[in-house]
Amino acid sequence: MLLTIYNHNGNIRAEIAPGESSTQQKEVQGDNVLTISFSYYEYIVLDVNDYTDFEGERYWLMEKYVPTQKSDGEWMYDLKLYGIESIIKRFLVLETTDGD
């Protein structure tokens, strides 16, 4: 399976094949985290708000990522991308119904 990573403007940064150690972790009323491990033949600049779509859900990178150089032509990536459930925690949410 290939995943496409987009920058914040929707332009393609890379198409990657996630490794076997990649996981999706969803919790009820908790985080929704997509962990992707892969190697790539060149350095990819990954920044905040870069995203990918997986099984109908969008996952965003929450911090700038710097990969590890494995050899002259290979880079190792271990990304953590977060679903909307995790991103909402960055904002103050007020409930204003019923006078609360």
Side-chain angles (χ1 to χ4, degrees):
M1 166 179 48
L2 287 179
L3 287 178
T4 304
I5 298 175
Y6 301 91
N7 68 9
H8 67 278
N9 291 325
N11 299 320
I12 296 174
R13 286 215 192 258
E15 288 188 343
I16 55 109
E20 291 181 10
S21 62
S22 299
T23 61
Q24 177 190 28
Q25 186 174 18
K26 265 182 136 172
E27 299 173 1
V28 175
Q29 296 184 348
D31 284 333
N32 183 5
V33 181
L34 183 65
T35 304
I36 304 173
S37 299
F38 65 96
S39 60
Y40 205 71
Y41 59 89
E42 63 185 54
Y43 179 80
I44 307 168
V45 176
L46 296 171
D47 209 349
V48 176
N49 293 328
D50 286 357
Y51 65 90
T52 191
D53 294 319
F54 178 71
E55 293 187 353
E57 295 184 72
R58 185 159 288 177
Y59 294 85
W60 291 269
L61 193 61
M62 303 272 282
E63 57 189 31
K64 189 173 178 101
Y65 184 79
V66 179
T68 305
Q69 189 170 11
K70 190 173 180 181
S71 65
D72 286 341
E74 189 175 13
W75 296 84
M76 288 298 301
Y77 293 81
D78 289 308
L79 302 177
K80 281 195 175 207
L81 296 112
Y82 297 87
I84 193 71
E85 301 88 344
S86 300
I87 292 176
I88 196 92
K89 292 191 294 187
R90 296 189 322 186
F91 303 100
L92 175 62
V93 180
L94 301 175
E95 181 180 349
T96 58
T97 58
D98 298 329
D100 288 344

